[in-house]
DNA sequence: GCGAGTCTGTAACACTGTTACACCGCCCGC
DNA sequence: GCGGGCGGTGTAACAGTGTTACAGACTCGC
């Protein structure tokens, strides 16, 4: 545990390290060379994750991208796990608020879930990373806040309101997880087409066709959420 | 692509390789030594995954467990990816049917979703593996079948029926994914408790308490599914 | 006996995360 | 001036991963 220099990646609070200190370095060969900062590392890491996914983020690759050595990365961010944590943290912080739209509480709730889904889909790799890290609670704080407000407006209180909010959150997150999964692996074993013929679909050709065709996520999402909101609130949400 | 011996891991259909051939080998040291079979490899792999999760399944570890060399594993199952595929395939095949219970279609549908969730929860690692592999469609065939039947019984047909079935499946799978995730990472940043005080919960102490406390998955699942079924079918399911 | 096919073992390759340790440059106190 | 320490970098290694080329050994059919 003891070492010659205390690495700076400690203390979850300290965000800016050398950022404010604009001092440049002069490398041995005379070329100007800015000192590497934690922010630089996170930026580069975010770029790699955004383009190629979290699995492609290796410490060596990251170091190469930054034109530095692996050890520098470790100096600034601790280790890979902490790097990913920091990345998630930063992205979540950048997500911003969610505003409800519509008249009735039901439609406003639906609008919140749609906004949340859009946010998640806007950062595809983030979802998986948050999922793996178990940071869901933290990530969905803003959406939860908005939902709490709307559920309150719908007249629900206390434990019941909490359960409704939880149900909706689970629903949205779960949906996006499944949706992402489907997109990543569009080819299924066995293919959708062969699985549903006349017999298995109880002689309902339209049903067979509906199950065989790839789902329209947008439509499916709306249908699910509306149904759930209706069931939870007893009010039918309007478009 | 060409090699001296065609490895046996080909041709998704051929399951039994040497299983039927009960011939024993005699090792150089004279000890009896059964020939390794694909089934042995899958069994050992399944055991490791069951106990320590898919990430703990390394080819070397597996080989050590079986008292053989890594190359033998590769001979029998191709590579790690195919090994996991085969594992998933086998487990899914073992899951068996799902039977609906109850009187009204709505309650029968709820019973199917509960059974599906129970199945998934019975094989915790399987869920993640299937998820990563994008084999959802295949896995949920039996449940889909049951749902199709019940939705039909409820009077829905064609595209509409297909959408309802899809919504329900997405709902269950998504729920289990989120649920599993929560169990795996019970400690959240920041803790549930600190996130919901009087102010953020709009001065509804019971709501704050409800959101701060860990959810009761069983209860939440039932609530969600019932609400969704009600919204989708227009009929309230009874316990 | 012998050849072919079926497996197994040795040893390597390329790659991963991680760390011990030497080193370099700057700044601060003296 | 100058020594020491701090901040940061680079070299090189360790252990572990998936994967494979290749040399064998074993069994079976002829």
């Amino acid at each position: 545990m003891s070492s010659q220099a205390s690495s700076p990646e400690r203390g979850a609070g300290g965000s800016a390290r050398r950022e404010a200190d604009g001092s440049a370095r002069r490398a041995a060969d005379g070329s100007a060379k800015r000192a590497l900062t934690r922010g630089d590392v996170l930026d580069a890491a975010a770029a790699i994750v955004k383009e190629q996914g979290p699995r492609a983020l290796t410490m060596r690759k990251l170091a190469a991208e930054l034109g530095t050595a692996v050890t520098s990365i470790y100096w600034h961010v601790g280790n890979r796990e902490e790097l990913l944590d920091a990345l998630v943290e930063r992205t979540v912080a950048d997500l911003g608020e969610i505003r409800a739209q519509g008249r009735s509480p039901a439609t406003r709730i639906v609008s919140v879930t749609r906004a949340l889904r859009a946010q998640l889909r806007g950062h595809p790799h983030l979802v998986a990373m948050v999922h793996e890290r178990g940071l869901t609670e933290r990530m969905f704080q803003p959406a939860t806040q908005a939902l709490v407000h709307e559920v309150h407006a719908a007249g629900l209180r206390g434990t019941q309101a909490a359960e409704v909010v939880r149900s909706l959150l689970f629903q949205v997150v779960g949906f996006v997880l499944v949706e992402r999964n489907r997109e990543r692996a569009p080819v299924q074993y066995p293919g959708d087409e062969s699985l549903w013929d006349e017999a298995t679909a109880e002689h309902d050709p339209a049903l067979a066709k509906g199950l065989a065709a790839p789902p329209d996520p947008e439509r499916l999402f709306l249908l699910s959420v509306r149904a759930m909101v209706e069931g939870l609130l007893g009010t039918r949400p309007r478009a």
Side-chain angles (χ1 to χ4, degrees), chain A:
Chain A
M1 281 300 159
S2 73
S3 73
Q4 53 188 23
S6 64
S7 60
E9 38 83 18
R10 280 267 158 244
S15 64
R17 180 151 329 285
R18 291 182 54 91
E19 250 80 333
D21 165 13
S23 75
R25 296 281 193 80
R26 205 143 277 280
D29 61 2
S31 69
K33 193 179 174 185
R34 255 190 76 253
L36 194 66
T37 67
R38 183 181 161 92
D40 295 338
V41 177
L42 288 183
D43 286 341
I48 293 180
V49 168
K50 196 171 188 176
E51 288 162 26
Q52 312 178 49
R55 285 193 72 160
L57 179 67
T58 76
M59 305 304 262
R60 284 180 171 82
K61 191 174 195 169
L62 181 54
E65 193 75 25
L66 287 163
T68 183
V70 217
T71 36
S72 299
I73 312 289
Y74 281 90
W75 170 265
H76 285 290
V77 299
N79 59 26
R80 199 183 118 99
E81 208 62 11
E82 289 179 45
L83 169 58
L84 289 179
D85 279 349
L87 225 51
V88 168
E89 188 107 359
R90 220 180 57 159
T91 321
V92 167
D94 285 354
L95 277 188
E97 224 155 310
I98 284 188
R99 260 185 257 284
Q101 287 185 350
R103 298 237 171 101
S104 71
T107 58
R108 289 172 68 81
I109 287 176
V110 171
S111 85
V112 170
T113 64
R114 295 185 68 175
L116 176 55
R117 171 164 171 266
Q119 271 193 359
L120 298 183
R121 291 189 53 77
H123 303 263
H125 299 303
L126 183 64
V127 184
M129 286 170 65
V130 168
H131 179 60
E132 277 175 12
R133 240 139 265 285
L135 296 172
T136 22
E137 213 72 6
R138 157 62 155 262
M139 168 155 199
F140 303 135
Q141 226 276 351
T144 314
Q145 193 78 53
L147 285 179
V148 162
H149 186 74
E150 297 308 327
V151 167
H152 243 198
L156 296 179
R157 291 295 125 92
T159 322
Q160 201 189 354
E163 279 175 345
V164 167
V165 168
R166 276 252 165 80
S167 294
L168 289 167
L169 283 179
F170 267 59
Q171 155 76 359
V172 177
V173 181
F175 190 95
V176 173
L177 279 175
V178 178
E179 186 184 7
R180 279 281 306 152
N181 162 268
R182 282 202 64 107
E183 286 169 11
R184 206 165 6 115
V187 186
Q188 301 272 343
Y189 272 109
D192 282 349
E193 329 74 39
S194 63
L195 216 50
W196 297 105
D197 53 13
E198 287 291 309
T200 46
E202 309 209 333
H203 308 289
D204 183 340
L207 195 160
K209 205 176 146 204
L211 284 177
D216 174 356
E218 199 71 36
R219 193 178 154 77
L220 203 56
F221 180 76
L222 261 183
L223 178 70
S224 312
V225 171
R226 286 214 180 107
M228 187 170 232
V229 169
E230 185 184 341
L232 287 172
L233 263 55
T235 323
R236 169 169 272 118
R238 309 188 347 127

